[in-house]
Amino acid sequence: MSNFRTFILALTASFGFPWLCLIIIPAIKYQALTPVAYDKDKDGVEGFYPPAPINRQGQLTYAREGCAQCHTQMIRPTQLSLDGWHKGWGQDQEARPAAPVRSNTLLDYLGEPYAFLGVQRLGPDLTNYGWRAPSRQEMHVMLYAPRQRHDWSNMPAFKNLYEVRLAQGPKSELALKLSKPFAPEVGYEVVPTPEAEALVDYLLSLKKDNPIPGITAAAVKK
Amino acid sequence: MQTTSSSADTDVQADNLRRAAIDKSVKGPVLFLFLNGAFWLMASTILGVLAALKLFAPSFLGDCPVLQYGRLQPTHLNALVYGWGVQAGLGVMLWIMARRSGQELKSGKSVLYVAGIFWNIAVTLGLLSILFGGSTSIEWLEMPKWVWPIMLAAFLCFAWPMTTMFARAFRPEGFMVSTWYILGACFWFPWIFVTANVALHCLPGLGAFGAGVNAWYVHAVIMLFFAPVAIGSAYYFIPKITGQPIASSQLAQMGFWALACLGGWTGMQHYMGGPLPAWMPAIGSLASVLLLVPVGVVGLNHHLTTLGKHHLVASSPTLRFTFLGALFYPISGVILALISNFTTGPTLQFTNAWYGFQIVAVYGFFSMSVFGAIYYIVPRLTGCEWLSVRLIRNHFWFSTYGIATVVITSLVAGVQQGGDLNHPEMWDQDFYQLVMNTQPYIIARAVAWGLITWSNIWFLVHLMLMVAGLGRRSSAPTLLHHGHDESSLPHGAHA
């Protein structure tokens, strides 16, 4: 390094090259991505891929509570892991589906400001949770009192998303069906706040295994 | 004869005066950064204990939303990275840069104070926001999006005087590897930080590519900020204490440029098998494994420089911490290669092994080196010596065993967890087995962070006493071992 300017130039070049190739150009290219239309003749379905965006309001709660610390949203291909064969992790809820759940593509997350692919997998993968989700009522119970269903669960209880209130008049149909020791005192009921409803809407909107135009769609049709 | 000896004396005296003047010029800002950093380090380790407990017993301390794992864990890591890591790193960088380039901090001391204060305000507000429901859930960038411009401005206020010092003292013939690394850190961190924040907070949404940018950010900060600061510090202190020149300048240059060229490519392999275009994880994996070359080269160079002086590791606190930190560099490199390649990577992906890597890099490697630097720098700034050998020893052993426990249990837990996740028998099972199998490791982690907290509380107290000027008044440094080898510490080690 003959002088200061050369040194700085070398620093810039050595880091700027990966920066440009790995971050800047792909980020610009990403802006051009748009939903792809299905071909009715070839794919057998109509509409667009991906069909509908996720529920953003609920995703904000998902981010705020740090759900991604323990739940992933990414199915890996079968050559790397057995994610695709896990029961119920795709649209097909059969015990032994004919084909594994497909791994995800960039377009699956189109329209999300940030995709929460996840930090660790301490709880089940949620990529296609919308397909296997129980009723809204049961989902609320799972969020409010995770250990009512599994006493070994290490999921936090998100009581801050629920309101415990004095039961007045006829019992609200939204009230959570809780058993001892999770039930509130007699005369009280637990109802979800709008945030909890949004979070459930978001979880229900997680269906990221739609057929890919020209690839899996045609295979499914056969 | 008479004249040469007296002129040598005058030279030494002039040198000492020059050093004292440099130390005096950076004293305030450096001590400010160290003290606040040590406070955040203690906060981070306490949060580490809590996070591990909450992962094991989610109802511990009630179901208060502020203390749920999903909020505590990011707060713990952000406090470690921005509260302690970057802050203490800046202190070490500023002092080494001033000393190594022989430049006093000419002006702008008050700007540095203001920048330091704003950095701490930003970190405080950012961490509180995470706890009280403002988390963005973007790894290492969980703080709300208005925080980063403040932090960037504060960082640049420190980076600028360092750059001018470097430029003034740049000598092509006298290659100074420690300041190269430190200038690199000054230069890369803002670049990476701006890129990631603008991409994730200001652009209209990058979807799954955003997750890739995030993974790149975390790896780039580790490889191009934490690693250079720690290596720079080791390259400065190992020759200084052992009194031997750096073994090979070719190896040093090679290690530097290989890191500079490879560091920016790492990261995307974090989401291997994911939605990113396949070449991105592939190239990330390639770069992470190739990083073993610069890591090995630097490790070899440090080893050769210490060769024959290993007894000093026992007596000098600085060399002991720096030696351990330097030892953790190859270990971090190997762990990175393990979690990044496509053979063992998919097993360790999405497991505790990732936490293990972050901790071994930021705590095992970076923080240990910085502790070594702090034990050297602070007595020179405050004019008094460390009070207690026992406290330093406590700090060393509790940190060493604590970090080793956190890292080893996280890795083993990762292997266990990854094996469970990919076990064919798991195909229709719930997560019962997985939760039960990881529990012992999480308990071990809580205990280990407890040990580290203990060491850090005493480190903070010790540092506070030093900054208050209550250290030992002595011309002899505090050594861990008062043996026959004390006199063999080279003269430079006291300067």
Side-chain angles (χ1 to χ4, degrees):
Chain A
M1 295 306 117
S2 52
N3 60 45
F4 182 62
R5 195 168 293 168
T6 327
F7 178 74
I8 292 290
L9 209 66
L11 274 188
T12 313
S14 61
F15 180 68
F17 183 50
W19 175 75
L20 203 65
C21 296
L22 202 56
I23 306 295
I24 300 306
I25 295 174
I28 293 168
K29 278 183 158 178
Y30 185 90
Q31 308 296 332
L33 282 186
T34 46
V36 185
Y38 286 112
D39 183 335
K40 181 89 171 67
D41 296 332
K42 274 205 280 187
D43 302 322
V45 271
E46 280 183 272
F48 283 89
Y49 163 74
I54 45 97
N55 181 303
R56 174 63 181 158
Q57 197 60 39
Q59 195 188 35
L60 286 172
T61 308
Y62 188 89
R64 196 186 77 181
E65 299 298 342
C67 306
Q69 287 288 337
C70 302
H71 291 285
T72 53
Q73 289 186 24
M74 178 181 125
I75 298 284
R76 292 171 287 174
T78 43
Q79 69 267 26
L80 287 187
S81 79
L82 300 177
D83 294 357
W85 291 109
H86 203 285
K87 186 188 167 210
W89 280 15
Q91 178 172 9
D92 194 342
Q93 296 292 307
E94 289 301 308
R96 290 174 188 278
V101 186
R102 71 164 173 84
S103 58
N104 294 110
T105 68
L106 210 50
L107 273 176
D108 286 337
Y109 304 84
L110 193 70
E112 299 185 32
Y114 182 83
F116 294 103
L117 298 185
V119 180
Q120 275 202 52
R121 195 175 272 171
L122 294 168
D125 185 89
L126 297 179
T127 317
N128 305 312
Y129 184 75
W131 296 115
R132 67 172 186 275
S135 68
R136 291 185 78 91
Q137 167 70 239
E138 279 175 75
M139 287 171 74
H140 281 305
V141 171
M142 274 160 70
L143 288 167
Y144 180 80
R147 272 160 293 287
Q148 173 159 324
R149 182 160 140 153
H150 294 306
D151 61 354
W152 47 264
S153 169
N154 59 355
M155 181 169 140
F158 295 101
K159 294 194 172 158
N160 54 317
L161 301 179
Y162 294 84
E163 189 191 342
V164 182
R165 68 179 186 197
L166 199 62
Q168 287 169 312
K171 205 167 183 327
S172 165
E173 58 187 45
L174 291 174
L176 271 53
K177 297 182 181 65
L178 296 161
S179 56
K180 286 278 170 205
F182 306 104
E185 290 173 51
V186 183
Y188 285 81
E189 60 183 6
V190 179
V191 288
T193 60
E195 280 171 326
E197 296 288 8
L199 181 59
V200 167
D201 285 337
Y202 169 64
L203 291 172
L204 287 170
S205 69
L206 291 174
K207 293 174 180 173
K208 297 192 193 299
D209 60 347
N210 306 96
I212 300 172
I215 305 175
T216 37
V220 169
K221 199 184 154 196
K222 270 178 213 163
Chain B
M1 286 297 267
Q2 193 68 25
T3 41
T4 24
S5 123
S6 80
S7 83
D9 267 1
T10 343
D11 274 1
V12 168
Q13 215 156 25
D15 260 6
N16 283 343
L17 280 176
R18 208 161 48 82
R19 285 205 189 94
I22 294 170
D23 285 350
K24 191 159 172 283
S25 74
V26 295
K27 173 181 172 181
V30 170
L31 287 180
F32 177 88
L33 292 172
F34 285 168
L35 205 55
N36 283 288
F39 166 76
W40 282 116
L41 181 66
M42 191 190 69
S44 159
T45 50
I46 293 174
L47 289 165
V49 178
L50 277 179
L53 285 175
K54 291 292 278 188
L55 188 54
F56 157 65
S59 297
F60 177 70
L61 297 176
D63 292 315
C64 167
V66 174
L67 296 176
Q68 298 292 28
Y69 178 76
R71 296 188 188 182
L72 270 183
Q73 181 75 358
T75 316
H76 152 62
L77 282 172
N78 276 277
L80 185 67
V81 170
Y82 302 107
W84 155 253
V86 177
Q87 182 153 246
L90 278 174
V92 173
M93 287 154 76
L94 184 58
W95 186 84
I96 294 184
M97 187 58 98
R99 268 288 193 105
R100 194 71 187 86
S101 51
Q103 306 278 330
E104 287 174 38
L105 180 65
K106 291 265 161 46
S107 59
K109 211 168 169 181
S110 45
V111 176
L112 294 191
Y113 279 120
V114 174
I117 290 169
F118 268 90
W119 178 275
N120 280 286
I121 292 176
V123 170
T124 311
L125 292 178
L127 295 184
L128 287 177
S129 302
I130 300 177
L131 287 180
F132 287 94
S135 169
T136 60
S137 260
I138 301 173
E139 259 186 288
W140 286 27
L141 295 170
E142 279 97 347
M143 299 199 249
K145 62 176 162 195
W146 45 264
V147 171
W148 73 269
I150 309 175
M151 294 172 70
L152 177 71
F155 188 94
L156 289 177
C157 289
F158 282 96
W160 178 249
M162 283 189 246
T163 314
T164 51
M165 284 175 191
F166 182 89
R168 259 189 249 131
F170 191 88
R171 279 172 314 180
E173 71 284 359
F175 164 67
M176 301 191 289
V177 68
S178 49
T179 48
W180 275 28
Y181 275 108
I182 285 165
L183 189 82
C186 282
F187 182 76
W188 289 316
F189 182 80
W191 193 345
I192 299 165
F193 195 64
V194 169
T195 308
N197 278 296
V198 169
L200 297 174
H201 291 316
C202 305
L203 289 187
L206 291 175
F209 181 64
V213 173
N214 180 220
W216 172 82
Y217 170 74
V218 174
H219 283 79
V221 168
I222 289 178
M223 282 303 149
L224 296 178
F225 179 77
F226 287 128
V229 175
I231 303 172
S233 163
Y235 267 129
Y236 183 81
F237 287 111
I238 293 181
K240 188 119 188 156
I241 309 280
T242 59
Q244 314 196 109
I246 293 169
S248 157
S249 84
Q250 275 87 4
L251 284 184
Q253 300 209 32
M254 205 178 121
F256 179 81
W257 288 113
L259 181 72
C261 294
L262 289 171
W265 288 105
T266 57
M268 305 267 186
Q269 81 281 359
H270 189 52
Y271 293 118
M272 57 175 76
L276 298 171
W279 66 270
M280 293 181 181
I283 207 157
S285 174
L286 175 74
S288 304
V289 175
L290 277 180
L291 268 173
L292 285 173
V293 175
V295 165
V297 161
V298 170
L300 177 69
N301 211 358
H302 284 157
H303 172 71
L304 292 176
T305 312
T306 327
L307 215 59
K309 298 280 182 179
H310 278 111
H311 58 277
L312 293 175
V313 173
S315 59
S316 158
T318 302
L319 190 61
R320 196 189 273 199
F321 276 98
T322 305
F323 182 78
L324 196 79
L327 195 68
F328 267 117
Y329 184 43
I331 297 176
S332 312
V334 169
I335 295 178
L336 178 65
L338 278 178
I339 61 172
S340 300
N341 73 78
F342 275 73
T343 310
T344 51
T347 307
L348 297 173
Q349 194 180 15
F350 297 140
T351 67
N352 282 293
W354 169 236
Y355 181 71
F357 170 66
Q358 293 175 69
I359 296 302
V360 77
V362 178
Y363 208 119
F365 165 43
F366 170 80
S367 303
M368 284 298 184
S369 310
V370 166
F371 289 143
I374 288 179
Y375 279 115
Y376 189 89
I377 296 170
V378 171
R380 273 138 197 95
L381 298 185
T382 57
C384 48
E385 294 295 333
W386 292 97
L387 276 174
S388 156
V389 176
R390 183 183 284 179
L391 285 183
I392 300 180
R393 239 188 243 142
N394 260 355
H395 184 210
F396 180 78
W397 289 113
F398 276 89
S399 309
T400 307
Y401 280 114
I403 282 309
T405 314
V406 172
V407 172
I408 292 170
T409 52
S410 295
L411 287 178
V412 179
V415 174
Q416 170 87 55
Q417 200 182 345
D420 282 348
L421 283 169
N422 270 336
H423 200 282
E425 299 273 310
M426 264 293 275
W427 71 276
D428 65 342
Q429 299 294 307
D430 53 32
F431 272 55
Y432 173 74
Q433 205 56 44
L434 191 133
V435 168
M436 289 302 140
N437 286 344
T438 43
Q439 242 172 32
Y441 304 106
I442 305 298
I443 297 172
R445 182 191 297 174
V447 173
W449 277 122
L451 296 179
I452 299 169
T453 306
W454 175 249
S455 80
N456 282 337
I457 290 173
W458 287 110
F459 173 60
L460 178 62
V461 170
H462 209 175
L463 188 62
M464 276 160 68
L465 288 172
M466 288 291 286
V467 173
L470 298 173
R472 250 168 6 95
R473 299 282 163 192
S474 164
S475 57
T478 308
L479 296 177
L480 299 171
H481 227 271
H482 287 278
H484 57 283
D485 49 4
E486 195 189 333
S487 53
S488 69
L489 263 184
H491 178 76
H494 298 287

